[in-house]
Amino acid sequence: MEDIALKDLILYMARALVDEPEKVEVNAVEGENSVILELKVAPNDIGKVIGKGGQTAKAMRKVLSAAATKLRKKSMLQIVE
Amino acid sequence: MGGFTATGETYEAALEQALQRAKLPKEALEIHTVGGLGEKIDERHEREEDNTGVTLHVAIRPEHIAESARAALLRILGYMRVRVEVRTVVEGDVVCLKMRSQESALLIGRNGQTLEALQHMLNRMCGRPELGAPFIALDVENYRERRLARLERLARHGAREAVEGQKEVELEVMSPADRKVIHMTLRANPQVKTFSRGDEGDRRVVIAPA
């Protein structure tokens, strides 16, 4: 189970959404019971990863939390410029 | 079928415009001339007639969307270490990806939220609505069908209870889409009326005797 790739999961989804995939970065901070992922994209791509009314960010968080459930962890996704 | 038009002085120019707009290889597109006899542009092109301008009707092949969505879904679920079988079905303007998995409960999530989220992501990542490409729908083992059947059953039971007891029956908290199913199911029933009550997040359908 340990090889569930939360960071790669977010990287892959974010890169498919944006215009500048080479500028996408993800940092993961793993705790005992939690994992925090920090997603960084080009300023012009912020809107694409957040989506209309925040829908895309919400969907990404949902998919991430399903994946984290398998690790018995809480997940958090922060989007930064 | 949806699509878009591309124009140019020559076939090549129109095709170039279409490819640039779609940002896809020619094989992913279905290309026809607009008007005329509806013949394929390739045949027309071979005859090398008419240099007065060409208008193409261009649509993305649903199979192309289906394949790219399937690949993206397998990759996402690969990162999640979820084993899954995915079948693609093209139904008119919808491309449906039907999954089978031991972990279907994880893929569906509470009230279908994970399934909705995956569907949203696939449409954002692989969909091209601005070019009239088909919507990508996602399902696990006929979950959507079973869910719809359950909502219709809830609606009918609620209506019977309301009529027999001559009282209001309040259903469970539901999403706007689910509430709509209840309203639609009972719309043709003259014995009851339906409305919703409460704030979003705690909003329920009420079935009352007419």
Side-chain angles (χ1 to χ4, degrees):
Chain A
M1 281 295 181
E2 272 312 306
D3 56 347
I4 290 177
L6 300 182
K7 186 175 157 180
D8 292 341
L9 173 66
I10 294 298
L11 257 182
Y12 173 64
M13 290 194 291
R15 283 192 171 139
L17 294 171
V18 301
D19 289 331
E20 297 181 84
E22 68 284 355
K23 296 210 175 138
V24 176
E25 280 174 45
V26 178
N27 282 314
V29 183
E30 294 230 21
E32 189 113 322
N33 304 308
S34 68
V35 54
I36 300 169
L37 289 136
E38 203 181 71
L39 169 63
K40 213 183 244 183
V41 301
N44 283 333
D45 282 329
I46 285 272
K48 296 217 170 60
V49 294
I50 291 175
K52 199 172 22 154
Q55 272 197 66
T56 304
K58 193 176 155 198
M60 251 193 299
R61 290 192 173 106
K62 197 86 219 169
V63 174
L64 174 67
S65 88
T69 303
K70 287 188 76 171
L71 297 169
R72 297 179 196 284
K73 282 190 178 183
K74 292 267 175 224
S75 62
M76 224 174 103
L77 176 67
Q78 287 172 343
I79 297 166
V80 292
E81 232 170 283
Chain B
M1 286 300 274
F4 63 98
T5 56
T7 55
E9 276 185 24
T10 61
Y11 166 78
E12 284 79 9
L15 180 66
E16 186 55 31
Q17 196 198 61
L19 294 179
Q20 271 187 12
R21 182 145 173 228
K23 296 192 188 75
L24 289 170
K26 194 179 164 210
E27 297 73 50
L29 304 174
E30 232 168 68
I31 302 168
H32 298 279
T33 47
V34 171
L37 300 169
E39 59 191 335
K40 289 261 170 66
I41 188 65
D42 292 327
E43 292 156 18
R44 186 187 160 112
H45 175 55
E46 272 163 25
R47 283 195 273 115
E48 294 268 277
E49 60 169 26
D50 156 9
N51 264 342
T52 57
V54 178
T55 301
L56 306 178
H57 180 263
V58 185
I60 299 182
R61 289 183 193 281
E63 294 76 16
H64 171 79
I65 298 285
E67 266 323 300
S68 68
R70 181 172 187 275
L73 178 62
L74 288 174
R75 193 137 168 212
I76 289 172
L77 298 181
Y79 290 128
M80 294 169 69
R81 304 293 179 258
V82 173
R83 282 167 182 253
V84 68
E85 262 175 60
V86 182
R87 217 155 46 85
T88 64
V89 185
V90 175
E91 294 163 344
D93 271 0
V94 177
V95 159
C96 194
L97 304 187
K98 295 178 189 275
M99 302 184 279
R100 279 179 72 87
S101 172
Q102 299 276 2
E103 293 179 83
S104 56
L106 178 89
L107 295 174
I108 293 166
R110 192 159 51 91
N111 285 324
Q113 287 176 3
T114 305
L115 191 62
E116 290 297 328
L118 284 167
Q119 179 175 290
H120 179 88
M121 290 313 299
L122 291 176
N123 277 285
R124 291 276 80 74
M125 293 162 68
C126 311
R128 300 297 296 277
E130 78 284 10
L131 302 181
F135 180 77
I136 302 161
L138 200 55
D139 203 358
V140 187
E141 278 133 31
N142 297 321
Y143 168 76
R144 289 185 193 279
E145 218 171 282
R146 283 184 282 125
R147 185 178 171 85
L148 191 66
R150 176 180 167 269
L151 287 172
E152 287 171 354
R153 209 160 51 232
L154 275 178
R156 284 194 303 272
H157 281 187
R160 196 177 316 142
E161 207 182 314
V163 170
E164 282 171 7
Q166 280 301 301
K167 58 170 179 151
E168 283 186 357
V169 174
E170 205 175 80
L171 300 182
E172 64 199 62
V173 175
M174 287 178 194
S175 69
D178 288 358
R179 291 199 306 273
K180 190 173 173 192
V181 174
I182 304 286
H183 293 307
M184 296 305 281
T185 305
L186 297 177
R187 202 173 56 162
N189 184 337
Q191 294 180 289
V192 292
K193 56 182 185 209
T194 64
F195 54 94
S196 296
R197 179 187 288 159
D199 296 325
E200 205 51 68
D202 187 43
R203 202 160 163 80
R204 303 153 186 271
V205 175
V206 179
I207 306 173

